Amino acid sequence: MRVLRRALYLLLVLLLIGGGVVLYYIANPNLPQAGQPQRVHYLKQWGEEARQTYYYTPQGTQVKGLRYDWFTALEQPFSRERFATPEYLSRFGFLTDPQQTATALNPGNLPVGFARHEDDETGAQFLDITCAACHTGELRHNGQAIRIDGGAALHSLASTVPTLRGGSFGQALGMSMAFTYYNPVKFKRFAQTVLRDDYEQDHAQLREDFKAVLDRLLGTAFNDWHRGLYPTEEGFGRTDAFGRIANSVFGDAIDSSNYRVANAPVSYPQVWDIWKFDWVQWNGSAMQPMARNIGEALGVGATLHLFDESGAPLPETERYPSSVRLHDLYTLEETLKQLKPPTWPEAILGPVDIDLASQGRALFSENCAYCHAPDPIPRDQRLAPDRDPEWRMRIIPTRIIGTDPTTADNIADHRFDIRKLDWDKAQLSKLDVNLIGSDLDEVDLGSISSAKGLAYVTAYVENRAYQDASIRGGERARMDGYGLPIGVQEKRGYKARPLHGIWATPPFLHNGSVPNLFQLLSPVPERSKQFWVGSFEFDPEHVGFATDKFPGGFLFDTSITGNSNRGHEFRDGCRQNGVIGRALAPEERWALIEYLKVMGDPQLESQLQAVEGKPWSAGPNCQG
């Protein structure tokens, strides 16, 4: 009996030690020592007022109900240092400026994309993560930082699944809140900071409210972990955006049976010129700007009410209220129309070789322009006649482009049961939803695709938001974006886009699986099978981020599902299995890269010399 008791004591001690080790690594994430650049250089993409509007205009999202002043008062788990200090948040990849100070738009002096919004009913002020958090980039070279407004973020925002290596913002935030709640000394300091003179009367209510948010954060982490929803780690600069939106809307808001494995992380696409595109999203599935932005807000954390406390659908007159902010979303969309692509900063990254770039322009016409050159649509053929220009985006089937198909396949194949909403098709037919290539009669509400399901949910949410804001008629059509309907098309492919400013958006391909432009123009066997992600250090020669191992970095492994680096390949032989062009000699790759640095910069493009190029060729098709 004594031996058994000792064995049990030993087992308990080992479990406590093991649990302590796990807790320590989860609460003390393995992050890069980012360091502050000497200076942040802003390119002439737009004015300062537009930049600040983009950075800090809220869109109606919430981090599980986290209040803005709670976030700014929160401490790190093993320190009295504030969680929201620019120095700490920059280690997750969020963008700050050593010269920035608190402003009316950014009272907490937080990174780009961390905004504040006030609830119209309660007056509570919530932390709002905006589109700028994910669509603003930065490159660093020789101690200087170059801000890329509208570019691809390199942060670790999305991951909710706890890992021993840590490194994700959501995981670290949850642990800081847990250490605050369960440590009375920490919580007292926190409550006194938040409540000030009202501490004595309100601290008990604050503790209750704080626990509710903590429970939501931990509940999400447990749900995502035990269901195995996100098996492919996202790391820095990626998230499975469509998968997370679908799980939020169909799983969280409707029924837990609708959770689907999301194993296809994608990079954050650049958003300059996006207002000119006929179709948006990586797979070209969305048309209307307002619906696209509402869907994004719902995925990031905007609230949505569909059912009562018993789980029954709310009456039609009470259903679909949300926290999305129509006027702010419209302001963001209109502000982005001012955004220009970034131009290569020669003073920081080095001069462009004009002779080489001139050769590269001819090579671009031969090898790249067919898919990537802007293709203005005549007015009588546009989706939106008043949009000028409107660019046709080619959507290349995965069987041709050959890049990792997991994202496109998941969007095409996942199905959801939304019958709990008690919809009928007569109601759906009255919504401003346009199904391209299919018909409402074919839609099965017990097994609806993610794109169609999101279109109809978004349509109801949009209608309710406009109704509550008393917006109708011409004003609504203008805010929707050119009076466009909520268009949906479902293609198993990826959208090619113009390459102005592409040099500023590494890593490349939709899933970020190719670290630099030189490798993107190379045969697949010459591409890195593994490389490290998370460093902002820029390589202006190969045009990509530094990929050597560094403390706190994330190892990108192209052998993992969703991470393949194949396809979009230039190699001699048959144009099949992702081979889209002839093999490019190394000197041709360098010339193309030099031209991509120049593209979209009128000053540098005017210096290019005329070089005769070869016509584009479809190449040999060896099928059969």
Side-chain angles (χ1 to χ4, degrees), residues 100-123:
Q100 75 178 46
T101 57
T103 64
L105 279 176
N106 183 24
N109 196 28
L110 298 180
V112 172
F114 283 66
R116 176 184 64 172
H117 84 253
E118 183 173 308
D119 184 78
D120 294 334
E121 294 184 5
T122 66

Side-chain angles (χ1 to χ4, degrees), residues 49-222:
E49 182 179 352
R51 177 181 292 112
Q52 294 300 314
T53 297
Y54 175 61
Y55 283 0
Y56 299 114
T57 296
Q59 56 183 12
T61 69
Q62 298 180 19
V63 183
K64 304 300 180 183
L66 180 65
R67 307 291 179 91
Y68 190 88
D69 58 347
W70 297 3
F71 182 68
T72 58
L74 196 63
E75 295 176 353
Q76 297 171 33
F78 300 110
S79 168
R80 293 183 65 167
E81 289 290 319
R82 293 288 171 84
F83 185 88
T85 61
E87 295 76 16
Y88 185 61
L89 291 182
S90 68
R91 295 183 65 193
F92 295 97
F94 299 115
L95 301 180
T96 60
D97 186 329
Q99 306 303 315
Q100 75 178 46
T101 57
T103 64
L105 279 176
N106 183 24
N109 196 28
L110 298 180
V112 172
F114 283 66
R116 176 184 64 172
H117 84 253
E118 183 173 308
D119 184 78
D120 294 334
E121 294 184 5
T122 66
Q125 295 183 337
F126 294 100
L127 179 68
D128 192 311
I129 305 296
T130 81
C131 54
C134 297
H135 299 286
T136 308
E138 191 165 285
L139 315 174
R140 295 180 187 172
H141 186 63
N142 291 334
Q144 306 295 309
I146 305 164
R147 183 63 55 82
I148 308 297
D149 286 326
L154 193 64
H155 55 48
S156 59
L157 170 65
S159 179
T160 48
V161 180
T163 62
L164 282 181
R165 72 170 302 278
S168 96
F169 169 77
Q171 178 177 318
L173 174 63
M175 294 310 299
S176 286
M177 291 188 67
F179 274 65
T180 296
Y181 180 80
Y182 290 107
N183 183 333
V185 177
K186 263 187 179 296
F187 189 84
K188 183 175 182 179
R189 285 198 301 268
F190 167 80
Q192 288 174 335
T193 301
V194 170
L195 299 173
R196 300 181 182 177
D197 295 340
D198 297 326
Y199 172 78
E200 292 298 333
Q201 66 184 44
D202 291 341
H203 75 277
Q205 184 63 51
L206 173 63
R207 187 168 177 82
E208 182 179 329
D209 295 341
F210 188 89
K211 182 61 161 52
V213 174
L214 173 61
D215 286 346
R216 290 187 205 116
L217 278 171
L218 297 181
T220 296
F222 178 76

Side-chain angles (χ1 to χ4, degrees), residues 537-566:
E537 289 301 315
F538 187 68
D539 173 1
E541 181 183 11
H542 295 86
V543 183
F545 287 121
T547 58
D548 292 337
K549 184 177 182 179
F550 63 97
F554 175 80
L555 181 62
F556 192 110
D557 185 345
T558 63
S559 68
I560 293 173
T561 300
N563 288 356
S564 173
N565 66 350
R566 65 184 177 85

Side-chain angles (χ1 to χ4, degrees), residues 282-589:
W282 279 113
N283 67 331
S285 61
M287 178 196 296
Q288 188 197 89
M290 181 59 78
R292 174 195 72 217
N293 293 332
I294 287 176
E296 181 266 337
L298 290 173
V300 177
T303 59
L304 173 61
H305 298 288
L306 301 173
F307 304 98
D308 61 22
E309 294 180 357
S310 66
L314 289 166
E316 192 68 28
T317 56
E318 300 176 22
R319 208 187 299 187
Y320 309 112
S322 70
S323 60
V324 297
R325 301 169 66 89
L326 293 176
H327 285 291
D328 287 330
L329 289 174
Y330 177 68
T331 294
L332 287 166
E333 187 71 24
E334 290 298 297
T335 301
L336 280 171
K337 291 181 180 179
Q338 305 174 41
L339 180 65
K340 299 176 182 177
T343 54
W344 182 268
E346 291 187 287
I348 305 171
L349 297 180
V352 171
D353 185 325
I354 294 299
D355 290 339
L356 203 57
S358 300
Q359 298 171 38
R361 179 169 61 178
L363 287 164
F364 182 88
S365 295
E366 175 194 350
N367 297 281
C368 312
Y370 180 79
C371 289
H372 289 292
D375 185 11
I377 303 173
R379 183 183 181 90
D380 61 349
Q381 298 177 29
R382 296 174 190 165
L383 296 176
D386 294 334
R387 176 165 49 196
D388 190 20
E390 181 175 289
W391 291 346
R392 179 181 288 111
M393 298 292 105
R394 293 183 183 275
I395 300 171
I396 315 300
T398 55
R399 60 181 171 79
I400 293 175
I401 194 65
T403 51
D404 191 299
T406 316
T407 298
D409 288 347
N410 286 355
I411 295 172
D413 296 336
H414 286 175
R415 293 292 183 270
F416 305 89
D417 186 349
I418 58 173
R419 288 173 294 182
K420 283 181 65 175
L421 294 173
D422 285 344
W423 286 348
D424 65 64
K425 292 187 178 181
Q427 292 175 317
L428 296 182
S429 67
K430 299 176 183 178
L431 297 173
D432 192 22
V433 174
N434 187 5
L435 303 181
I436 307 297
S438 61
D439 188 86
L440 179 56
D441 290 338
E442 303 169 2
V443 173
D444 178 0
L445 299 180
S447 182
I448 196 169
S449 68
S450 54
K452 290 187 181 75
L454 286 170
Y456 286 115
V457 169
T458 301
Y460 276 119
V461 172
E462 188 174 280
N463 285 347
R464 176 61 188 259
Y466 278 125
Q467 173 189 314
D468 291 347
S470 300
I471 298 171
R472 57 182 63 87
E475 184 182 7
R476 170 170 179 170
R478 175 175 56 84
M479 291 178 67
D480 278 344
Y482 308 103
L484 286 166
I486 301 176
V488 180
Q489 65 177 2
E490 297 174 304
K491 296 189 175 182
R492 208 177 290 265
Y494 298 119
K495 179 180 85 268
R497 60 190 299 154
L499 300 183
H500 304 90
I502 191 67
W503 61 267
T505 66
F508 299 100
L509 295 184
H510 73 280
N511 59 354
S513 60
V514 180
N516 58 57
L517 283 180
F518 188 83
Q519 289 195 24
L520 187 63
L521 298 172
S522 302
V524 170
E526 296 180 26
R527 297 175 183 173
S528 299
K529 294 180 175 58
Q530 293 185 334
F531 56 94
W532 291 85
V533 179
S535 169
F536 285 93
E537 289 301 315
F538 187 68
D539 173 1
E541 181 183 11
H542 295 86
V543 183
F545 287 121
T547 58
D548 292 337
K549 184 177 182 179
F550 63 97
F554 175 80
L555 181 62
F556 192 110
D557 185 345
T558 63
S559 68
I560 293 173
T561 300
N563 288 356
S564 173
N565 66 350
R566 65 184 177 85
H568 196 280
E569 186 178 10
F570 295 89
R571 176 165 54 81
D572 285 338
C574 303
R575 301 291 171 87
Q576 59 188 25
N577 298 325
V579 177
I580 60 169
R582 66 171 178 83
L584 300 168
E587 57 269 22
E588 292 180 306
R589 301 175 214 169

